[in-house]
Every structure is written in C-alpha cells, then in structure tokens.
Coordinates of all heavy atoms in Angstrom, one line a residue:
R269 N 122.4 149.8 94.4 CA 122.2 149.1 95.6 C 121.1 148.2 95.5 O 119.9 148.6 95.5 CB 122.0 150.1 96.7 CG 123.2 151.0 97.0 CD 122.9 152.0 98.1 NE 122.2 151.5 99.3 CZ 122.7 151.5 100.5 NH1 124.0 151.9 100.7 NH2 122.1 151.0 101.5
V270 N 121.4 146.9 95.4 CA 120.4 145.8 95.3 C 120.4 145.0 96.6 O 121.4 144.5 97.0 CB 120.7 144.9 94.1 CG1 119.7 143.8 94.0 CG2 120.8 145.7 92.8
K271 N 119.2 145.0 97.2 CA 119.1 144.3 98.5 C 118.8 142.8 98.2 O 118.3 142.4 97.1 CB 117.9 144.8 99.3 CG 118.1 146.2 99.7 CD 116.9 146.7 100.5 CE 117.1 148.1 101.1 NZ 116.0 148.5 101.9
P272 N 119.2 141.9 99.1 CA 118.9 140.5 99.0 C 117.3 140.3 98.9 O 116.6 141.1 99.5 CB 119.4 139.9 100.2 CG 120.3 140.9 100.9 CD 119.8 142.2 100.4
T273 N 116.9 139.2 98.3 CA 115.5 138.8 98.3 C 115.3 137.8 99.4 O 116.2 137.0 99.7 CB 115.1 138.2 96.9 OG1 115.9 137.1 96.6 CG2 115.2 139.2 95.8
V274 N 114.2 137.9 100.1 CA 113.9 137.0 101.2 C 112.6 136.3 101.0 O 111.6 137.0 100.6 CB 113.9 137.8 102.5 CG1 113.5 136.9 103.7 CG2 115.3 138.4 102.8
K275 N 112.5 135.0 101.3 CA 111.3 134.3 101.3 C 111.1 133.6 102.7 O 112.0 133.0 103.2 CB 111.3 133.2 100.2 CG 110.0 132.4 100.1 CD 110.1 131.4 99.0 CE 108.7 130.7 98.9 NZ 108.8 129.7 97.8
I276 N 109.8 133.8 103.2 CA 109.5 133.2 104.5 C 108.6 132.0 104.2 O 107.6 132.1 103.5 CB 108.8 134.2 105.4 CG1 109.6 135.4 105.6 CG2 108.4 133.5 106.8 CD1 108.9 136.6 106.3
T277 N 108.9 130.8 104.9 CA 108.1 129.6 104.7 C 107.8 129.1 106.1 O 108.4 129.5 107.1 CB 108.9 128.6 103.9 OG1 110.1 128.2 104.5 CG2 109.1 129.0 102.5
G278 N 106.9 128.1 106.2 CA 106.6 127.4 107.4 C 105.5 128.0 108.2 O 105.1 127.5 109.3
V279 N 105.0 129.1 107.8 CA 103.8 129.8 108.5 C 103.1 130.6 107.4 O 103.6 131.1 106.5 CB 104.4 130.7 109.6 CG1 105.2 131.8 109.1 CG2 103.2 131.2 110.4
K280 N 101.7 130.7 107.6 CA 100.9 131.5 106.7 C 100.6 132.8 107.4 O 100.1 132.8 108.6 CB 99.6 130.7 106.5 CG 99.7 129.5 105.6 CD 98.4 128.9 105.4 CE 98.5 127.6 104.6 NZ 97.2 126.9 104.5
K281 N 100.8 133.9 106.7 CA 100.5 135.2 107.2 C 99.1 135.4 107.6 O 98.2 135.1 106.9 CB 100.9 136.2 106.1 CG 100.7 137.7 106.5 CD 101.0 138.6 105.4 CE 100.9 140.0 105.9 NZ 101.3 141.0 104.8
G282 N 98.9 135.8 108.9 CA 97.6 136.1 109.4 C 96.8 134.9 109.8 O 95.7 135.0 110.3
H283 N 97.3 133.7 109.7 CA 96.6 132.5 110.0 C 96.5 132.3 111.5 O 97.3 132.7 112.2 CB 97.3 131.3 109.3 CG 96.5 130.0 109.3 ND1 95.5 129.8 108.4 CD2 96.6 128.9 110.0 CE1 95.0 128.7 108.6 NE2 95.6 128.0 109.6
T284 N 95.4 131.6 111.9 CA 95.2 131.2 113.3 C 95.4 129.7 113.4 O 94.7 129.0 112.7 CB 93.8 131.6 113.8 OG1 93.7 133.1 113.7 CG2 93.7 131.2 115.3
Y285 N 96.4 129.3 114.2 CA 96.7 127.9 114.4 C 96.1 127.4 115.7 O 95.9 128.2 116.6 CB 98.2 127.6 114.3 CG 98.8 127.9 113.0 CD1 99.3 129.2 112.7 CD2 98.9 127.0 112.1 CE1 99.9 129.5 111.5 CE2 99.5 127.2 110.8 CZ 100.0 128.5 110.6 OH 100.5 128.8 109.4
R286 N 95.9 126.1 115.8 CA 95.5 125.5 117.1 C 96.7 125.3 118.0 O 97.9 125.3 117.5 CB 94.9 124.1 116.8 CG 93.6 124.2 116.0 CD 92.6 123.2 116.5 NE 91.4 123.3 115.8 CZ 90.3 123.8 116.3 NH1 90.3 124.4 117.5 NH2 89.2 123.9 115.6
K287 N 96.5 125.2 119.3 CA 97.5 125.2 120.3 C 98.7 124.3 120.0 O 99.8 124.6 120.2 CB 96.9 124.9 121.6 CG 97.8 124.9 122.8 CD 97.1 124.7 124.1 CE 98.0 124.8 125.3 NZ 97.2 124.5 126.5
H288 N 98.5 123.1 119.5 CA 99.6 122.1 119.4 C 100.1 122.0 117.9 O 100.9 121.1 117.6 CB 99.1 120.7 119.9 CG 98.8 120.7 121.3 ND1 99.7 120.9 122.3 CD2 97.6 120.6 122.0 CE1 99.1 120.8 123.5 NE2 97.8 120.7 123.3
A289 N 99.8 122.9 117.1 CA 100.3 122.9 115.7 C 101.8 123.2 115.8 O 102.3 124.0 116.6 CB 99.6 124.0 114.9
K290 N 102.5 122.6 114.9 CA 103.9 122.8 114.7 C 104.2 123.9 113.7 O 104.0 123.7 112.5 CB 104.6 121.5 114.3 CG 104.3 120.4 115.2 CD 105.6 119.7 115.7 CE 105.3 118.5 116.5 NZ 105.4 118.6 117.8
V291 N 104.5 125.1 114.2 CA 104.7 126.3 113.4 C 106.2 126.7 113.6 O 106.6 127.1 114.7 CB 103.7 127.4 113.8 CG1 104.0 128.6 112.8 CG2 102.3 127.0 113.7
H292 N 106.9 126.6 112.5 CA 108.4 126.9 112.6 C 108.7 127.8 111.4 O 109.1 127.2 110.3 CB 109.2 125.7 112.6 CG 108.9 124.8 113.8 ND1 109.3 125.1 115.1 CD2 108.3 123.6 113.8 CE1 108.9 124.1 115.9 NE2 108.2 123.2 115.1
P293 N 108.7 129.1 111.5 CA 109.0 130.0 110.4 C 110.5 129.8 110.0 O 111.4 129.7 110.9 CB 108.7 131.4 110.9 CG 108.7 131.3 112.3 CD 108.3 129.9 112.7
K294 N 110.7 129.7 108.7 CA 112.1 129.6 108.2 C 112.2 130.7 107.1 O 111.2 131.1 106.5 CB 112.3 128.2 107.6 CG 112.2 127.1 108.7 CD 112.4 125.8 108.0 CE 112.2 124.7 109.1 NZ 112.0 123.4 108.5
C295 N 113.5 131.0 106.7 CA 113.7 131.9 105.6 C 114.8 131.4 104.7 O 115.7 130.7 105.2 CB 113.9 133.3 106.1 SG 115.5 133.6 107.0
T296 N 114.7 131.8 103.5 CA 115.8 131.6 102.5 C 116.0 133.0 101.9 O 115.1 133.8 101.8 CB 115.4 130.6 101.4 OG1 114.2 131.1 100.8 CG2 115.2 129.2 102.0
A297 N 117.3 133.2 101.6 CA 117.6 134.5 101.0 C 118.6 134.3 99.8 O 119.3 133.3 99.7 CB 118.3 135.4 102.0
H298 N 118.5 135.2 98.8 CA 119.3 135.1 97.6 C 119.9 136.6 97.3 O 119.2 137.5 97.5 CB 118.6 134.6 96.4 CG 118.0 133.2 96.7 ND1 118.8 132.1 96.5 CD2 116.8 132.8 97.0 CE1 118.1 131.0 96.8 NE2 116.9 131.4 97.1
D299 N 121.1 136.6 96.8 CA 121.6 137.9 96.4 C 122.5 137.5 95.2 O 123.6 136.9 95.4 CB 122.4 138.6 97.4 CG 122.9 139.9 97.0 OD1 123.9 140.0 96.3 OD2 122.2 140.9 97.3
T300 N 122.1 138.0 94.0 CA 122.9 137.6 92.8 C 124.0 138.6 92.4 O 124.7 138.4 91.5 CB 121.9 137.5 91.6 OG1 121.2 138.7 91.4 CG2 121.0 136.3 91.8
V301 N 124.1 139.7 93.2 CA 125.0 140.7 92.9 C 126.3 140.5 93.7 O 127.4 140.2 93.1 CB 124.5 142.2 93.1 CG1 125.5 143.2 92.7 CG2 123.2 142.4 92.2
S302 N 126.3 140.7 95.0 CA 127.5 140.6 95.8 C 127.5 139.3 96.6 O 128.6 139.0 97.2 CB 127.6 141.8 96.7 OG 126.5 141.8 97.6
G303 N 126.4 138.6 96.7 CA 126.4 137.4 97.5 C 126.0 137.7 98.9 O 126.1 138.9 99.4
L304 N 125.5 136.7 99.6 CA 125.1 136.9 101.0 C 126.2 136.9 102.0 O 127.2 136.2 101.8 CB 124.1 135.8 101.4 CG 122.8 135.7 100.7 CD1 122.0 134.5 101.0 CD2 122.0 137.0 101.0
A305 N 126.1 137.8 103.0 CA 127.1 137.9 104.1 C 127.0 136.8 105.1 O 127.9 136.5 105.9 CB 127.0 139.2 104.8
G306 N 125.9 136.0 105.1 CA 125.7 135.0 106.0 C 124.3 134.4 105.8 O 123.6 134.7 104.8
K307 N 123.9 133.5 106.7 CA 122.5 132.9 106.6 C 121.4 133.9 106.9 O 121.6 134.9 107.7 CB 122.4 131.7 107.5 CG 123.3 130.6 107.1 CD 123.0 129.4 108.0 CE 123.9 128.2 107.5 NZ 123.6 127.0 108.3
C308 N 120.3 133.7 106.4 CA 119.1 134.5 106.7 C 118.7 134.1 108.2 O 118.8 133.0 108.6 CB 118.0 134.0 105.8 SG 116.4 134.9 105.9
K309 N 118.4 135.2 109.0 CA 118.1 135.0 110.4 C 116.7 135.2 110.7 O 116.0 136.1 110.1 CB 119.0 135.9 111.2 CG 120.5 135.7 111.1 CD 121.3 136.7 111.8 CE 122.7 136.5 111.6 NZ 123.6 137.5 112.2
V310 N 116.1 134.4 111.6 CA 114.7 134.5 112.1 C 114.7 134.8 113.5 O 115.3 134.0 114.3 CB 114.0 133.2 111.8 CG1 112.5 133.3 112.2 CG2 114.0 132.8 110.3
K311 N 113.9 135.8 114.0 CA 113.7 136.1 115.4 C 112.2 136.1 115.6 O 111.5 136.8 114.9 CB 114.3 137.4 115.8 CG 114.1 137.7 117.2 CD 114.7 139.0 117.6 CE 114.4 139.3 119.1 NZ 114.9 140.6 119.5
T312 N 111.7 135.2 116.5 CA 110.3 135.1 116.8 C 110.0 135.7 118.2 O 110.7 135.3 119.1 CB 109.8 133.7 116.7 OG1 110.2 133.2 115.4 CG2 108.3 133.5 116.9
T313 N 108.9 136.5 118.2 CA 108.4 137.0 119.5 C 106.9 136.7 119.6 O 106.3 136.4 118.6 CB 108.7 138.5 119.6 OG1 108.0 139.2 118.6 CG2 110.1 138.9 119.6
H314 N 106.4 136.7 120.8 CA 105.0 136.5 121.0 C 104.5 137.3 122.2 O 105.2 137.7 123.1 CB 104.6 135.1 121.2 CG 105.1 134.5 122.5 ND1 106.4 134.1 122.6 CD2 104.5 134.3 123.6 CE1 106.6 133.6 123.9 NE2 105.4 133.7 124.5
K315 N 103.1 137.6 122.2 CA 102.5 138.2 123.4 C 101.1 137.5 123.6 O 100.5 137.1 122.6 CB 102.4 139.7 123.2 CG 101.4 140.1 122.1 CD 101.3 141.6 122.0 CE 100.5 142.0 120.8 NZ 100.3 143.4 120.7
K316 N 100.7 137.4 124.8 CA 99.5 136.8 125.2 C 98.4 137.8 125.1 O 98.5 138.9 125.6 CB 99.5 136.2 126.6 CG 98.3 135.4 126.9 CD 98.6 134.5 128.1 CE 97.4 133.7 128.5 NZ 97.3 132.5 127.8
V317 N 97.3 137.5 124.4 CA 96.1 138.4 124.2 C 94.9 137.5 124.5 O 94.5 136.7 123.7 CB 96.0 138.9 122.8 CG1 94.8 139.8 122.7 CG2 97.3 139.7 122.4
G318 N 94.4 137.6 125.7 CA 93.3 136.8 126.2 C 93.8 135.3 126.2 O 94.7 135.0 126.9
K319 N 93.0 134.5 125.5 CA 93.4 133.0 125.4 C 94.2 132.7 124.2 O 94.3 131.5 123.9 CB 92.1 132.2 125.5 CG 91.4 132.3 126.8 CD 90.3 131.3 126.9 CE 89.7 131.3 128.3 NZ 88.8 130.1 128.5
R320 N 94.8 133.6 123.5 CA 95.6 133.3 122.4 C 96.9 134.0 122.5 O 97.2 134.9 123.3 CB 94.9 133.7 121.1 CG 94.9 135.2 120.8 CD 94.4 135.5 119.4 NE 94.8 136.9 119.1 CZ 94.0 137.9 119.2 NH1 92.7 137.7 119.5 NH2 94.5 139.1 118.9
L321 N 97.8 133.5 121.7 CA 99.2 134.1 121.6 C 99.3 134.7 120.2 O 99.0 134.0 119.2 CB 100.3 133.0 121.8 CG 100.4 132.4 123.2 CD1 101.3 131.3 123.2 CD2 100.8 133.5 124.2
D322 N 99.8 135.9 120.1 CA 100.1 136.6 118.8 C 101.6 136.5 118.6 O 102.3 137.0 119.4 CB 99.6 138.0 118.9 CG 98.1 138.2 118.8 OD1 97.4 137.1 118.7 OD2 97.6 139.3 118.9
Y323 N 102.0 135.9 117.5 CA 103.4 135.7 117.1 C 103.8 136.6 116.0 O 103.0 136.9 115.1 CB 103.6 134.3 116.7 CG 103.7 133.3 117.8 CD1 102.6 132.7 118.3 CD2 104.9 132.9 118.4 CE1 102.6 131.8 119.3 CE2 105.0 132.0 119.4 CZ 103.8 131.4 119.9 OH 103.9 130.5 120.9
T324 N 105.0 137.1 116.0 CA 105.6 137.8 114.9 C 107.0 137.3 114.7 O 107.8 137.1 115.7 CB 105.7 139.3 115.2 OG1 104.4 139.8 115.4 CG2 106.3 140.1 114.1
A325 N 107.3 137.0 113.5 CA 108.7 136.5 113.1 C 109.3 137.7 112.2 O 108.6 138.1 111.3 CB 108.7 135.2 112.3
T326 N 110.5 138.1 112.6 CA 111.2 139.0 111.8 C 112.4 138.3 111.2 O 113.2 137.7 111.9 CB 111.7 140.2 112.7 OG1 110.6 140.8 113.3 CG2 112.5 141.2 111.9
V327 N 112.5 138.4 109.9 CA 113.6 137.7 109.2 C 114.5 138.8 108.6 O 114.1 139.9 108.1 CB 113.2 136.8 108.1 CG1 112.3 135.7 108.7 CG2 112.4 137.5 107.0
T328 N 115.8 138.5 108.6 CA 116.8 139.5 108.2 C 117.9 138.8 107.3 O 118.4 137.8 107.7 CB 117.5 140.2 109.3 OG1 116.5 140.7 110.2 CG2 118.5 141.3 108.9
A329 N 118.2 139.4 106.2 CA 119.3 138.9 105.3 C 120.1 140.1 104.9 O 119.6 141.2 104.6 CB 118.7 138.3 104.1
T330 N 121.4 140.0 104.9 CA 122.4 141.0 104.6 C 123.3 140.5 103.5 O 123.8 139.3 103.6 CB 123.2 141.5 105.8 OG1 122.3 141.9 106.9 CG2 124.1 142.7 105.5
D331 N 123.6 141.3 102.5 CA 124.6 140.9 101.5 C 126.0 141.4 101.8 O 126.2 142.2 102.8 CB 124.1 141.3 100.1 CG 124.1 142.7 99.8 OD1 124.7 143.5 100.6 OD2 123.4 143.1 98.8
K332 N 126.9 141.0 101.0 CA 128.4 141.3 101.3 C 128.6 142.8 101.1 O 129.6 143.4 101.6 CB 129.3 140.5 100.4 CG 129.3 139.1 100.8 CD 130.2 138.2 99.9 CE 130.2 136.8 100.4 NZ 130.9 135.9 99.4
A333 N 127.7 143.5 100.4 CA 127.9 145.0 100.2 C 127.2 145.8 101.3 O 127.3 147.0 101.3 CB 127.2 145.4 98.8
G334 N 126.6 145.1 102.3 CA 126.0 145.7 103.4 C 124.5 146.1 103.3 O 123.9 146.7 104.1
N335 N 123.9 145.7 102.1 CA 122.5 145.9 101.9 C 121.7 144.9 102.8 O 122.1 143.7 102.8 CB 122.1 145.8 100.5 CG 122.9 146.8 99.6 OD1 122.9 148.0 99.9 ND2 123.6 146.3 98.6
K336 N 120.7 145.4 103.4 CA 119.9 144.5 104.3 C 118.4 144.5 103.9 O 117.9 145.6 103.6 CB 120.0 145.1 105.7 CG 119.3 144.2 106.8 CD 119.3 144.8 108.2 CE 120.6 145.1 108.8 NZ 120.5 145.5 110.2
T337 N 117.8 143.3 104.0 CA 116.4 143.2 103.8 C 115.8 142.6 105.1 O 116.3 141.7 105.6 CB 116.1 142.2 102.6 OG1 116.6 142.7 101.4 CG2 114.6 142.0 102.5
V338 N 114.7 143.3 105.6 CA 114.0 142.8 106.8 C 112.5 142.6 106.4 O 111.9 143.5 105.8 CB 114.1 143.8 107.9 CG1 113.4 143.4 109.1 CG2 115.6 144.1 108.2
K339 N 112.0 141.5 106.7 CA 110.5 141.2 106.5 C 109.9 140.7 107.8 O 110.6 140.0 108.6 CB 110.3 140.2 105.4 CG 110.6 140.7 104.0 CD 110.1 139.8 103.0 CE 110.1 140.3 101.6 NZ 109.6 139.4 100.6
T340 N 108.7 140.9 108.0 CA 108.0 140.4 109.2 C 106.7 139.6 108.7 O 106.2 139.9 107.7 CB 107.5 141.4 110.2 OG1 106.7 142.4 109.5 CG2 108.8 142.2 110.7
I341 N 106.3 138.6 109.5 CA 105.1 137.9 109.3 C 104.5 137.6 110.7 O 105.2 137.4 111.6 CB 105.4 136.6 108.5 CG1 104.1 135.9 108.1 CG2 106.3 135.6 109.3 CD1 104.3 134.8 107.0
S342 N 103.2 137.7 110.7 CA 102.5 137.5 112.0 C 101.4 136.4 111.8 O 100.8 136.2 110.8 CB 101.8 138.8 112.4 OG 102.7 139.8 112.6
W343 N 101.2 135.7 113.0 CA 100.1 134.7 113.0 C 99.7 134.5 114.5 O 100.2 135.1 115.4 CB 100.6 133.3 112.5 CG 101.7 132.7 113.3 CD1 101.5 131.7 114.2 CD2 103.1 133.0 113.3 NE1 102.7 131.3 114.8 CE2 103.7 132.1 114.2 CE3 103.9 133.9 112.6 CZ2 105.1 132.1 114.5 CZ3 105.3 133.9 112.9 CH2 105.8 133.0 113.8
K344 N 98.6 133.7 114.7 CA 98.1 133.6 116.0 C 98.0 132.1 116.4 O 97.9 131.2 115.5 CB 96.7 134.2 116.1 CG 96.6 135.6 115.8 CD 95.2 136.1 115.7 CE 95.1 137.6 115.7 NZ 95.3 138.3 114.6
V345 N 98.0 131.8 117.7 CA 97.8 130.4 118.2 C 96.8 130.5 119.3 O 96.9 131.3 120.2 CB 99.1 129.8 118.7 CG1 98.9 128.4 119.3 CG2 100.2 129.7 117.6
K346 N 95.7 129.7 119.1 CA 94.6 129.8 120.1 C 94.6 128.5 121.0 O 95.0 127.5 120.5 CB 93.3 130.1 119.5 CG 92.8 129.0 118.6 CD 91.4 129.3 118.1 CE 90.8 128.2 117.3 NZ 89.5 128.4 116.9
D347 N 94.1 128.7 122.2 CA 93.9 127.5 123.1 C 92.9 126.5 122.5 O 92.0 126.9 121.9 CB 93.4 128.0 124.5 CG 94.6 128.1 125.4 OD1 95.7 127.6 125.1 OD2 94.4 128.7 126.5

C-alpha cells in the first residue's frame, strides 16, 4: 500500500502575513503505482484570535487503489 505524495505550495508553514497579502495554498500530488483518482483538494478554514486570523489548510489526495494522503499547514494573518 503506497500512498500518494503531496506537496503544498503558496504558503509558508507557521508564517505570519500582513492583512492584504495574497495567500492561496495549492497542492500537487503524485502516485506512481496506481495513479491518482482525481485532483488534489484543498480546504481552508480560519478562526479569529484577537486581532489576527489563524488559518489552516487541509490537503487531500487519493489514488485509484483507495490510498489517501492528508496534510495540513497553518499560518496567521494580522491586522
């Protein structure tokens, strides 16, 4: 059972960005055994903590054999 590999781009883990920064996490996935079942998916959530927003992106990739890889990355945006 070999899971797909996933790479997250467009955001630095743990980084604090200014309010108007353009932060758009993206992901790429590869599976050399059975191939990918679809595109890598990104779901972003946030919560307000004082004057900043804490963001988390969860990326998911699934291969045709049903193996799934899930990774998360977090960052902050301040006023």
Side-chain angles (χ1 to χ4, degrees):
R269 293 176 49 114
V270 178
K271 294 181 178 185
T273 57
V274 175
K275 182 177 181 182
I276 302 170
T277 59
V279 63
K280 292 181 184 176
K281 181 179 182 178
H283 193 73
T284 299
Y285 294 90
R286 296 215 180 258
K287 185 176 182 179
H288 297 291
K290 304 233 186 255
V291 181
H292 302 287
K294 298 176 184 167
C295 67
T296 55
H298 299 281
D299 186 279
T300 57
V301 179
S302 63
L304 294 172
K307 292 184 177 183
C308 186
K309 297 177 184 176
V310 179
K311 181 180 179 185
T312 303
T313 60
H314 69 278
K315 65 179 177 179
K316 189 166 178 84
V317 179
K319 291 189 173 191
R320 74 168 196 260
L321 292 171
D322 289 357
Y323 284 84
T324 300
T326 302
V327 299
T328 306
T330 306
D331 66 16
K332 291 179 181 174
N335 301 308
K336 184 189 297 187
T337 299
V338 178
K339 286 190 173 184
T340 60
I341 190 167
S342 298
W343 69 97
K344 297 173 172 84
V345 175
K346 67 177 184 174
D347 264 346

